[in-house]
Amino acid sequence: KTLAAFRAYDDGIGPDIYVATAARILGKPAEAIVKDERQTYGKVPVLACGYQGGSGAFRKIGGKVSEAKAKEIVEAWRASNPAIVSYWYALDEAFKKALRFKGEVVVAGAEGRQVKFRVKGSFLWCRLPSGRLLCYPYPRLDTAHTFELEDGRVKKLSARELAKQGAPSGAKQTRIDYGAAFYMHVDGLSNKWVETDTYGGKLAENITQAVCRDLLAEAIKRCEAAGFPVVLHVHDEVVAEIATDSVDLHTFEAVCSETPEWADGLPVVASGWKGARYRK
């Protein structure tokens, strides 16, 4: 539904994604959505919920409603976007499976645009549709090991406790529960290695932003090859500096909008501007 909404808007036959989202959540025609509804039931859910954000994320981003109402809107958004919700859980399961079966390639995502996870050495790698790799250093899977002791009692040990003290003498392991996944990264403030957890929505964010980076990088290369020297890029913008008498905005937009073979079917449209100075 989300991709269809973007395509319809790009073709000039549908509302923008915020109006389309509000209409789905409220069960109203798009033309009946008013400004406040577009904001509360459209823009904020799209920005807050896409990466598994809950009612807290909704209210933090700008949803000025009660906790109960925020929860209701989040649940409605998830109900109207089942494919995205399923993708979160598929990524979470694939990431954890790759940690459980080290060396095995685990695939997640729709046919033709899957990502592939694999542990090799001290890292978990994620191969993007473009072929580029994301790296998750020193990953681990939190596990709880349940043992039945000789006297009939049950004892649970975390993976770290088990590694440190070993299994209870004479005990029989009866169950392993798999919990959260973790990896190491360099903290931007302290510049030190720290451990952080991850989950389906966070992985979806990593992959989505990485795919957008790949689209932008390839667009920059095409612009350079087409005679548009790129002087900077800001978020999703590409800025080229050329002589004023040779401005061809239509061609520039077309070059930026080309879709790489690995992203076939993804709606990519660029809308440009020209001026003597950069503006945001």
Side-chain angles (χ1 to χ4, degrees):
K1 292 180 179 179
T2 300
L3 288 177
F6 277 112
R7 292 188 185 101
Y9 180 72
D10 292 340
D11 292 339
I13 58 174
D16 67 50
I17 189 63
Y18 299 148
V19 171
T21 298
R24 287 204 303 271
I25 289 177
L26 295 171
K28 296 172 62 174
E31 56 271 19
I33 298 298
V34 299
K35 183 178 180 180
D36 287 348
E37 291 173 333
R38 178 184 182 273
Q39 176 73 16
T40 302
Y41 295 91
K43 185 174 183 178
V44 177
V46 166
L47 298 179
C49 299
Y51 301 132
Q52 212 171 346
S55 57
F58 180 93
R59 298 181 75 194
K60 184 177 181 179
I61 286 179
K64 298 178 180 179
V65 297
S66 67
E67 176 70 23
K69 190 63 177 178
K71 185 176 180 181
E72 178 187 318
I73 294 172
V74 169
E75 290 176 350
W77 183 92
R78 293 182 179 183
S80 66
N81 292 276
I84 295 176
V85 174
S86 296
Y87 188 54
W88 299 337
Y89 293 110
L91 290 174
D92 186 69
E93 182 180 352
F95 193 95
K96 291 177 179 177
K97 186 176 180 181
L99 285 173
R100 290 172 58 194
F101 302 99
K102 292 181 171 57
E104 181 178 322
V105 176
V106 185
V107 179
E111 179 98 23
R113 48 183 183 270
Q114 304 101 322
V115 294
K116 299 177 180 180
F117 295 102
R118 183 190 180 199
V119 172
K120 186 175 182 181
S122 299
F123 308 120
L124 189 151
W125 302 91
C126 174
R127 183 177 292 278
L128 301 166
S130 66
R132 188 165 66 91
L133 296 174
L134 293 182
C135 177
Y136 295 88
Y138 310 106
R140 71 176 180 90
L141 185 60
D142 207 22
T143 56
H145 299 255
T146 302
F147 293 90
E148 183 179 330
L149 305 181
E150 292 180 310
D151 60 5
R153 292 183 297 117
V154 171
K155 185 173 185 178
K156 286 188 176 181
L157 296 173
S158 70
R160 287 184 170 177
E161 290 172 331
L162 183 60
K164 185 176 181 179
Q165 66 187 60
S169 178
K172 176 184 177 183
Q173 182 163 299
T174 60
R175 180 171 173 174
I176 300 177
D177 294 307
Y178 296 98
F182 297 84
Y183 65 94
M184 301 293 290
H185 74 107
V186 177
D187 179 69
L189 295 177
S190 67
N191 203 35
K192 295 180 179 179
W193 283 94
V194 295
E195 188 174 64
T196 185
D197 68 325
T198 193
Y199 53 92
K202 188 174 179 180
L203 293 168
E205 186 273 342
N206 294 166
I207 292 164
T208 300
Q209 298 298 337
V211 166
C212 291
R213 176 268 171 203
D214 291 345
L215 291 170
L216 182 69
E218 294 200 21
I220 289 172
K221 291 172 65 177
R222 291 195 303 271
C223 286
E224 293 277 356
F228 297 100
V230 175
V231 293
L232 65 94
H233 57 88
V234 182
H235 298 302
D236 59 351
E237 290 183 293
V238 177
V239 181
E241 187 175 52
I242 58 177
T244 56
D245 58 356
S246 62
V247 173
D248 185 352
L249 186 58
H250 178 73
T251 300
F252 185 65
E253 291 173 334
V255 171
C256 289
S257 300
E258 290 179 27
T259 305
E261 185 177 346
W262 57 264
D264 186 41
L266 181 67
V268 178
V269 175
S271 178
W273 56 271
K274 54 185 177 181
R277 295 179 177 83
Y278 174 73
R279 67 174 186 267
K280 185 62 180 160

